[in-house]
Each structure stands twice: as C-alpha cells, then as structure tokens.
Amino acid sequence: MAKSLLPTYTIQISDRAKYLRLRISSEYGLEVIVPKDYDQARIEPLLLAKQAWITKNLGKAQARTEFHKSQPLLPSQINLQAIAQTWEVVYTEPKIAPKFGTYSENPNLKLVLNTNSPDLCHQVLRHWLLNMGDRYLAKELKKISLEIGLPFSKVTIRQQKTLWGSCSQAKNISLNYKLLFLPPALARYVLIHELCHTMHMNHSGKFWQLVKKFEPNYQVLDPQLREVWQIIPAWATD
Ligand SMILES: [Zn+2]
C-alpha cells in the first residue's frame, strides 16, 4: 500500500493542553495542539491513524470557504428567517467618504447604508444585526421564558463564532445574533435549550428530560444546528 500523504499542519504548543488535540478550521486548516515537552515524533503516526477523520473535516472546511467566497461581498438582501423578515439593502456612494458607517431603516424593510466601502459596510451590518437581536431575540426569549415558566436574569446578544448561546450560573443568557438567520423552530429550540440550563448547568439526562418537555422534537433539531452554517452569510461570520 502506498504511504498516505498527510495534509500540511501547524503545531501549537500549549501550556494548558494535557493531550494531543486536533483542530480544523477554514481559517487555519489543520492544527495540532500538544502539551509542553510532547515528543513530536509521535505526531505523524497519530495523524495517520486519524486520517479519515482529518480528510472528512478538511473537506467540510474547504466547502465552507468556497461557499463563502461564492457569495457576493455585499448583500442586496438579508433574510432573517427566525423573525420572518427579508430586508433589502441599499448602499449609497457619498461624495466624501464617511469616517463612520451608519444606517437608516425604512418601514418597508429597507436598510440604507451611508457608505459602499465593504469593510465599513460589514461593520455597519453586524452592528445592525446586534441591534435586531436586541429587539427581537431578547423579546422572544422573554416570551418563551414566561410561556415555559423558566425565568432568567439578563440577556445579552453577542456576535460569536461558534456558540449559539450560553447560560451562566447567575442565569444570564447570551445569544448569538446569527440565530436570526435560522428557521424559527431551530432558533426557538436554542432559546428553550438555554432556558433549561437555568435549571441544570450541564447536559445530563435530567437536562434533556426538561428540554423534551418543552420541545419534544429536540433530537431532530439539535443535530441540525451543526449543519446550518450555509444559511449564515460570510459578512456576518467574522
Ligand atoms: Zn447546552
């Protein structure tokens, strides 16, 4: 059998790592995280043993990068499925380039930006999304919280890379603004999931029982959260 070729990878030496760990992302490719004093001769045999997994996940990361590259740099439409709103986006070209990006909203779901410089536009659009999250996701969380009788302390909308939401000991819930792009049932599931963490700060059997009580379909919805990345536009992800 021919010797398999390993993809290029980088090695990160970590003070905190106890074991070798692999990380794959569209930004950095394959990263091998090892503890201090790790015998680096052990890395290649381990990577060879894990090759099928590596190939599969590098493929996924690649598909993600290509999908994002195929999207227009600036969106002309933004579809916020969770709240059933599709916004039209208009970019204006000012005579003097503005220092700050600003936006205004028309009542007929039209968003007008004061600039057409891509970097500034991305900033403004992300700012607007956070604001939409404050207006709609926070409201929805309060509604569901009352509906299922699980109170929380405070809600914060965040721009997060991978987490959809989190809940602290003090029952502060944070929600990712990307939830706005998800189908309503899926966004609702995440909100229910985080509210259930106010009772159980773990993913124990008791936790899932509680989730099931409010969302019987959770076993179908939960894995979908890992497959929906295509819905999130590139400008909202970095
Ligand atoms: Zn959880």
Side-chain angles (χ1 to χ4, degrees):
M1 219 159 70
K3 189 173 183 282
S4 5
L5 280 173
L6 282 171
T8 51
Y9 58 90
T10 53
I11 300 173
Q12 312 264 0
I13 296 161
S14 158
D15 287 334
R16 285 184 302 164
K18 289 202 175 79
Y19 315 97
L20 175 143
R21 197 160 66 79
L22 302 180
R23 183 163 61 198
I24 288 176
S25 62
S26 27
E27 290 91 343
Y28 306 111
L30 174 61
E31 294 171 284
V32 181
I33 300 137
V34 291
K36 263 193 322 201
D37 311 323
Y38 190 85
D39 176 10
Q40 298 202 357
R42 290 169 62 195
I43 294 177
E44 285 221 351
L46 264 159
L47 292 184
L48 285 169
K50 281 253 179 200
Q51 204 167 23
W53 181 89
I54 293 169
T55 309
K56 187 178 117 200
N57 285 285
L58 277 177
K60 277 190 184 171
Q62 175 88 16
R64 207 175 287 220
T65 309
E66 270 160 28
F67 173 75
H68 279 159
K69 274 192 197 147
S70 73
Q71 288 187 319
L73 195 56
L74 294 175
S76 53
Q77 254 194 4
I78 300 176
N79 184 10
L80 304 178
Q81 284 194 58
I83 58 170
Q85 291 185 5
T86 301
W87 286 73
E88 185 196 341
V89 192
V90 178
Y91 306 90
T92 54
E93 199 184 338
K95 287 206 181 76
I96 302 162
K99 275 199 181 122
F100 305 103
T102 57
Y103 64 81
S104 59
E105 290 176 347
N106 282 5
N108 51 344
L109 303 189
K110 193 167 161 184
L111 188 65
V112 184
L113 275 67
N114 73 330
T115 168
N116 62 357
S117 122
D119 282 348
L120 215 48
C121 286
H122 288 168
Q123 260 178 44
V124 178
L125 290 174
R126 291 198 286 257
H127 187 79
W128 174 75
L129 265 192
L130 279 173
N131 195 288
M132 291 296 278
D134 276 332
R135 277 188 269 170
Y136 292 94
L137 293 174
K139 211 163 88 185
E140 189 62 16
L141 187 72
K142 280 174 202 143
K143 204 185 101 193
I144 298 175
S145 159
L146 287 172
E147 180 191 318
I148 66 179
L150 293 177
F152 63 95
S153 310
K154 208 176 72 180
V155 54
T156 315
I157 308 299
R158 291 209 168 101
Q159 177 191 336
Q160 284 169 305
K161 227 177 164 55
T162 50
L163 273 186
W164 290 110
S166 62
C167 177
S168 75
Q169 289 282 5
K171 302 191 181 192
N172 292 323
I173 290 179
S174 87
L175 298 173
N176 194 332
Y177 72 4
K178 293 177 194 166
L179 288 168
L180 288 163
F181 293 102
L182 301 190
L186 210 48
R188 181 183 159 85
Y189 161 68
V190 173
L191 271 46
I192 289 174
H193 181 117
E194 296 312 328
L195 286 166
C196 288
H197 276 315
T198 61
M199 295 292 288
H200 305 285
M201 288 295 295
N202 50 44
H203 291 120
S204 61
K206 277 188 180 157
F207 168 78
W208 289 115
Q209 259 172 23
L210 191 64
V211 171
K212 190 179 177 182
K213 196 171 142 195
F214 305 121
E215 179 48 78
N217 205 22
Y218 79 98
Q219 277 171 315
V220 174
L221 294 169
D222 196 79
Q224 283 179 15
L225 286 174
R226 284 181 287 279
E227 308 297 333
V228 287
W229 55 268
Q230 280 210 341
I231 304 176
I232 317 293
W235 58 263
T237 55
D238 40 40

